Amino acid sequence: MEWEYVQTNFKWFTCAGILCCLIWNGFAQQGGSDCIKANAKSCGECIQAGPNCGWCKKTDFLQEGEPTSARCDDLAALKSKGCPMEDIENPRGSKQVLENREVTNRKKGAAEKLKPEAITQIQPQKLSLHLRVGEPQTFSLKFKRAEDYPIDLYYLMDLSYSMKDDLENVKSLGTALMLEMEKITSDFRIGFGSFVEKTVMPYISTTPAKLRNPCTGDQNCTSPFSYKNVLSLTSEGNKFNELVGKQHISGNLDSPEGGFDAIMQVAVCGEQIGWRNVTRLLVFSTDAGFHFAGDGKLGGIVLPNDGKCHLENNVYTMSHYYDYPSIAHLVQKLSENNIQTIFAVTEEFQAVYKELKNLIPKSAVGTLSSNSSNVIQLIIDAYNSLSSEVILENTKLPKGVTISYKSFCKNGVNDTQEDGRKCSNISIGDEVRFEINITANECPKKEQNETIKIKPLGFTEEVEINLQFICECQCQSEGEPNSPACHAGNGTFECGACRCNEGRIGRLCECSTDEVNSEDMDAYCRRENSTEICSNNGECICGQCVCKKRENTNEVYSGKYCECDNFNCDRSNGLICGGNGICKCRVCECFPNFTGSACDCSLDTTPCMASNGQICNGRGTCECGTCNCTDPKFQGPTCEMCQTCLGVCAEHKDCVQCRAFDKGEKKETCSQECMHFNMTRVESRDKLPQPGQPDPLSHCKEKDVDDCWFYFTYSVNSNGEANVHVVETPECPSGPDIIPIVAGVVAGIVLIGLALLLIWKLLMIIHDRREFAKFEKEKMNAKWDTGENPIYKSAVTTVVNPKYEGK
């Protein structure tokens, strides 16, 4: 029964293993199904179907009835169909670094004075990617903040009347800010601009008097204006103080200011402002809100802001013509020109500008005191905040191209998706890394190269990436136009197949489109004595059957007349060919060690092996991995079970005993009853035959009449002769040793007697102690006087007369 259980488990595990292999094979071929579903007519179409698709260019690869698209499949499937690796077109994407300058390791105060364009903070600078559809290309980008990096700062101030006291403090800002910024960089330049509002109603009063002096009373104010570039960027702090000191406050009617017009001009008028390719900071100082796109309609201005420079003599001249820019327009221009914005605003408008900061990348908000006395510290803090964060952005991607980022920041902080674009808390000299994946999901229609750029926001440096798309195979460039192989030059022979000229069809371009439905052509697609065209499993094209495809791409019709398939073979356990063969043209081709119409008959004899090493215990034949017992007395998976048998050992023990040792029940009749086997004596049990020999073998251990064990083996050879091997010396138990037994008994009696005496003595001691204690207790409880005889009785007896009345 134990062996039957083992055999059952073995079969179960075998079936489970085969089923798992088939399921895995199905998943492995799932990728190939995408290649087949693409129905690719050329190698180029095939490699665009997916990154795992390959094209077999072997000329005689296709079977009869298979379409040209069958050349496109996953690599494993093509190899299994007999396509050599050297004939499989499978171009892969690649990357090439074209410019890779190391990031600059520069210390502040170094004797070497580098030009801004010679400082490198991002690596690599230029590379080329060859992209195949669906296959991502990955490269690493390194960023390191350089020490002593040049800074350009432009101070843009609201000069409406409410900022009067702020202007007084800003007049000395130049030299003071220069001194503070020297702690950060040795190359610092500063500029100044001012703004008020559009010079049309209802933003300002257009009466002549108000245009000359918009302020009330005896206040002397300058005429209203939209934006003025007072001082282009300069390294002379004294000049800043001098020009700003000459500025005067102006005025307007409404509360929001026209600061967005000014920001747009500062961003796009690079030559007039004097921006360099360094860190660019724009400080926007105001105590009011802002107008944005659409507000210009109040003044009759409907043209959208064009985002171009309109400065004449450093004054914005088109404020009355173009509307305010939108926030999105500002974000675009600030990003294009690598300008980082610092909003220095009063406490009242903090909430508004914080919301604006969330919409403008690389911007900061600081709280400006009522008179701008804290503006220097505000600028320093905002700069440190902006420069401690790096955010990557890319230009517009070509159609069908996607990009993803993964950041490797300080202290082991890693992020993906949108957070993968940035790293925070970066100090000067810190190095961070980004892993960037670029994937093409389709080929561009014109198959032209594209260029994209990636840069950190607020920095002028960028990575230029040239994208080259792999949309054709190498073998297509080697094609032979008008090839004789394509029916006398009716197509181009490329990649092992014909690409037909216009108006021609067929695997070899042998037909024109006018001949497709001809009845004469259909006759070539019928089998003898059959009216079915292509066995109803395909279409007749140019007199040849092109077999149709099934929904399950692993099921294929083939053959000259599409009469064959690989899914209508006999099944076993629900599997085609039992999972032990391949279905070819509706007939199973079995794997080695399997046979049968459904390959369900195993030629492996291991399940039939009995415990004695014999196939079916020598009493049956092994058929399809199962024993067919020929002796009716024996049954079981290996013909070892016999319900009516005494057993080989018990059956022959008396004969072996009488022949080998001349004793036992058959001693007198041994020569008549026990001569049916050949007997061989051996010296020890090790010399007995062991399992594994070709003859059925039984090992026996029996007792003789003297209670001795004797060992023998019984086997029957192929000629039906019985052979017995017996160990010549039985194993008899040795007799008892009397002296130790007697000594042990005597010693036991003595020890038991001593133990009984000790127990009796112990009990007597306990009894005496209890009696003595009882006596002591009664003695203590006695109530008579110890000086009186307790048994003394008086001799006088007094009798009282009951009638005596005392008279």
Side-chain angles (χ1 to χ4, degrees):
M1 291 297 290
E2 185 177 342
W3 178 251
E4 183 178 5
Y5 173 77
V6 172
Q7 294 296 320
T8 303
N9 277 351
F10 176 81
K11 291 180 180 178
W12 188 89
F13 281 119
T14 302
C15 292
I18 292 171
L19 183 60
C20 288
C21 290
L22 289 171
I23 293 172
W24 175 253
N25 187 52
F27 280 122
Q29 292 182 353
Q30 194 63 39
S33 67
D34 293 333
C35 306
I36 295 172
K37 287 177 181 177
N39 200 26
K41 299 295 190 299
S42 66
C43 186
E45 292 180 14
C46 178
I47 63 173
Q48 293 180 47
N52 298 319
C53 297
W55 177 271
C56 183
K57 61 182 181 181
K58 185 180 179 185
T59 307
D60 57 351
F61 171 70
L62 296 178
Q63 298 180 19
E64 243 181 336
E66 282 191 302
T68 303
S69 59
R71 291 181 176 274
C72 182
D73 210 335
D74 68 79
L75 304 183
L78 291 176
K79 288 173 64 178
S80 66
K81 292 177 182 177
C83 187
M85 281 302 296
E86 60 270 16
D87 285 332
I88 297 177
E89 283 286 323
N90 181 35
R92 312 310 302 175
S94 63
K95 64 182 177 183
Q96 181 182 7
V97 178
L98 303 176
E99 191 174 337
N100 194 31
R101 296 190 309 274
E102 291 289 335
V103 291
T104 303
N105 292 313
R106 181 186 179 214
K107 299 294 183 182
K108 187 174 181 294
E112 182 186 9
K113 190 72 171 179
L114 295 177
K115 293 182 179 180
E117 55 269 20
I119 299 174
T120 302
Q121 297 183 106
I122 193 168
Q123 180 186 2
Q125 295 78 39
K126 188 175 183 180
L127 61 149
S128 175
L129 300 182
H130 289 76
L131 298 178
R132 176 176 170 180
V133 172
E135 181 185 29
Q137 290 299 316
T138 304
F139 66 94
S140 183
L141 184 148
K142 183 163 61 175
F143 177 85
K144 182 177 182 180
R145 275 191 62 194
E147 190 172 350
D148 196 24
Y149 194 70
I151 300 174
D152 284 354
L153 184 145
Y154 192 84
Y155 196 91
L156 183 60
M157 185 174 180
D158 176 8
L159 285 188
S160 60
Y161 187 77
S162 59
M163 294 287 285
K164 181 179 179 181
D165 55 344
D166 299 82
L167 180 59
E168 294 302 318
N169 285 313
V170 173
K171 288 179 179 180
S172 60
L173 177 66
T175 53
L177 187 58
M178 281 280 188
L179 291 174
E180 286 296 324
M181 295 303 289
E182 282 179 0
K183 299 176 183 178
I184 299 174
T185 177
S186 60
D187 188 356
F188 176 72
R189 299 197 310 166
I190 189 170
F192 184 82
S194 58
F195 67 92
V196 181
E197 187 54 277
K198 288 185 180 296
T199 55
V200 295
M201 281 289 288
Y203 311 110
I204 66 168
S205 175
T206 55
T207 61
K210 288 294 183 181
L211 285 176
R212 288 192 299 271
N213 184 1
C215 300
T216 58
D218 58 350
Q219 297 289 336
N220 185 21
C221 298
T222 189
S223 299
F225 58 91
S226 177
Y227 161 68
K228 284 182 183 177
N229 175 30
V230 178
L231 175 66
S232 298
L233 291 164
T234 179
S235 57
E236 300 177 24
N238 292 329
K239 191 174 182 180
F240 180 95
N241 293 349
E242 178 186 347
L243 289 176
V244 174
K246 297 178 181 179
Q247 302 303 305
H248 296 283
I249 292 297
S250 185
N252 62 317
L253 295 179
D254 63 342
S255 176
E257 313 294 2
F260 275 17
D261 273 343
I263 293 176
M264 177 61 76
Q265 293 303 300
V266 172
V268 299
C269 298
E271 291 185 7
Q272 291 88 335
I273 303 299
W275 292 117
R276 297 177 297 172
N277 285 331
V278 297
T279 299
R280 300 175 176 180
L281 300 179
L282 170 61
V283 180
F284 182 84
S285 175
T286 186
D287 64 349
F290 49 83
H291 285 297
F292 54 89
D295 288 355
K297 291 180 180 179
L298 294 172
I301 303 172
V302 295
L303 282 178
N305 195 289
D306 64 351
K308 295 180 180 179
C309 182
H310 297 288
L311 290 184
E312 293 183 11
N313 297 321
N314 288 323
V315 177
Y316 180 41
T317 59
M318 302 297 284
S319 67
H320 64 287
Y321 191 76
Y322 289 116
D323 193 6
Y324 301 98
S326 66
I327 295 175
H329 201 179
L330 276 184
V331 170
Q332 177 190 353
K333 293 302 179 181
L334 289 171
S335 176
E336 284 179 1
N337 294 281
N338 306 306
I339 296 173
Q340 304 176 61
T341 310
I342 301 171
F343 296 105
V345 297
T346 54
E347 182 69 35
E348 181 183 357
F349 289 93
Q350 279 288 305
V352 174
Y353 281 91
K354 282 183 177 177
E355 289 297 323
L356 181 60
K357 166 192 170 293
N358 294 333
L359 299 174
I360 302 178
K362 293 294 282 186
S363 62
V365 177
T367 304
L368 190 67
S369 61
S370 59
N371 60 359
S372 296
S373 58
N374 68 330
V375 67
I376 292 179
Q377 190 57 47
L378 185 154
I379 292 172
I380 298 297
D381 293 344
Y383 169 74
N384 289 332
S385 173
L386 289 172
S387 60
S388 67
E389 183 177 57
V390 57
I391 304 175
L392 297 183
E393 68 166 0
N394 52 268
T395 56
K396 185 179 179 181
L397 297 172
K399 183 181 178 182
V401 175
T402 58
I403 189 169
S404 64
Y405 297 84
K406 183 176 182 181
S407 59
F408 298 86
C409 307
K410 286 177 60 178
N411 304 320
V413 177
N414 301 340
D415 273 312
T416 55
Q417 299 180 347
E418 280 304 308
D419 288 337
R421 292 174 173 263
K422 63 183 179 181
C423 282
S424 303
N425 301 319
I426 302 174
S427 303
I428 292 175
D430 286 343
E431 183 177 295
V432 294
R433 186 172 65 86
F434 297 87
E435 192 175 89
I436 302 173
N437 281 331
I438 298 180
T439 307
N441 299 309
E442 61 182 67
C443 276
K445 292 182 179 179
K446 296 182 180 179
E447 298 183 11
Q448 59 187 7
N449 296 342
E450 299 279 356
T451 298
I452 62 172
K453 294 180 180 180
I454 298 175
K455 68 174 183 177
L457 279 174
F459 293 86
T460 58
E461 296 176 67
E462 61 188 15
V463 181
E464 182 180 322
I465 306 169
N466 181 29
L467 305 181
Q468 300 180 37
F469 299 92
I470 304 174
C471 300
E472 296 288 348
C473 300
Q474 179 64 33
C475 60
Q476 287 182 259
S477 62
E478 303 168 358
E480 182 185 358
N482 303 320
S483 172
C486 299
H487 200 265
N490 286 317
T492 300
F493 188 76
E494 59 182 25
C495 303
C498 286
R499 180 183 286 187
C500 299
N501 297 334
E502 188 175 353
R504 305 295 297 186
I505 58 173
R507 186 191 290 184
L508 299 177
C509 310
E510 64 270 29
C511 293
S512 69
T513 52
D514 300 331
E515 300 172 331
V516 172
N517 297 320
S518 169
E519 292 186 7
D520 293 336
M521 292 292 180
D522 291 346
Y524 292 103
C525 297
R526 296 191 191 96
R527 301 174 71 178
E528 289 186 23
N529 302 322
S530 174
T531 59
E532 296 177 344
I533 296 177
C534 299
S535 306
N536 289 333
N537 295 324
E539 294 181 87
C540 185
I541 299 178
C542 299
Q544 289 186 342
C545 286
V546 176
C547 303
K548 64 184 179 183
K549 296 180 180 178
R550 290 177 59 84
E551 186 175 348
N552 183 349
T553 55
N554 293 323
E555 297 179 354
V556 178
Y557 288 111
S558 61
K560 183 178 180 180
Y561 304 103
C562 301
E563 74 279 10
C564 295
D565 62 59
N566 65 347
F567 54 88
N568 274 322
C569 290
D570 290 344
R571 295 174 180 255
S572 177
N573 295 325
L575 301 175
I576 296 175
C577 299
N580 302 316
I582 299 174
C583 182
K584 290 187 177 180
C585 204
R586 304 185 180 182
V587 176
C588 286
E589 288 189 5
C590 301
F591 297 147
N593 283 335
F594 289 95
T595 186
S597 63
C599 300
D600 53 353
C601 181
S602 173
L603 300 178
D604 184 13
T605 59
T606 303
C608 298
M609 196 67 67
S611 57
N612 59 10
Q614 304 301 312
I615 294 177
C616 299
N617 197 30
R619 293 181 170 87
T621 57
C622 186
E623 298 175 1
C624 299
T626 304
C627 280
N628 181 19
C629 302
T630 54
D631 189 333
K633 293 190 299 182
F634 290 87
Q635 56 184 338
T638 55
C639 302
E640 291 183 280
M641 298 172 58
C642 180
Q643 302 294 340
T644 60
C645 300
L646 291 175
V648 173
C649 298
E651 182 181 352
H652 298 286
K653 91 170 188 178
D654 291 333
C655 284
V656 173
Q657 188 178 181
C658 77
R659 288 191 59 183
F661 308 111
D662 195 23
K663 56 185 176 181
E665 295 179 3
K666 294 186 178 182
K667 177 181 177 182
E668 302 300 330
T669 59
C670 192
S671 58
Q672 290 82 24
E673 298 181 18
C674 299
M675 302 306 293
H676 58 279
F677 58 82
N678 301 321
M679 190 180 72
T680 304
R681 289 182 173 84
V682 297
E683 295 179 0
S684 63
R685 292 168 59 186
D686 297 337
K687 301 293 180 66
L688 290 174
Q690 301 300 317
Q693 66 177 32
D695 299 333
L697 180 69
S698 297
H699 274 261
C700 302
K701 176 183 177 182
E702 299 291 341
K703 270 190 177 183
D704 63 13
V705 292
D706 298 324
D707 282 339
C708 295
W709 293 102
F710 65 97
Y711 300 88
F712 65 94
T713 62
Y714 184 89
S715 62
V716 179
N717 61 23
S718 57
N719 297 323
E721 296 178 350
N723 295 299
V724 173
H725 291 73
V726 61
V727 179
E728 59 186 7
T729 305
E731 290 183 2
C732 297
S734 57
D737 194 346
I738 301 301
I739 294 176
I741 294 174
V742 172
V745 171
V746 171
I749 293 171
V750 172
L751 291 174
I752 292 171
L754 290 174
L756 291 174
L757 287 173
L758 289 173
I759 293 170
W760 174 80
K761 182 63 178 175
L762 179 62
L763 292 174
M764 292 302 296
I765 291 172
I766 294 171
H767 179 267
D768 290 347
R769 287 184 178 180
R770 286 180 177 174
E771 290 295 324
F772 181 75
K774 184 178 180 182
F775 171 75
E776 288 293 328
K777 184 177 181 181
E778 290 178 352
K779 182 179 176 182
M780 293 295 294
N781 292 335
K783 298 188 179 192
W784 60 79
D785 186 359
T786 55
E788 182 179 348
N789 187 353
I791 62 173
Y792 170 76
K793 289 186 179 181
S794 176
V796 179
T797 301
T798 303
V799 179
V800 179
N801 184 0
K803 298 292 187 176
Y804 178 68
E805 296 179 353
K807 295 181 179 180

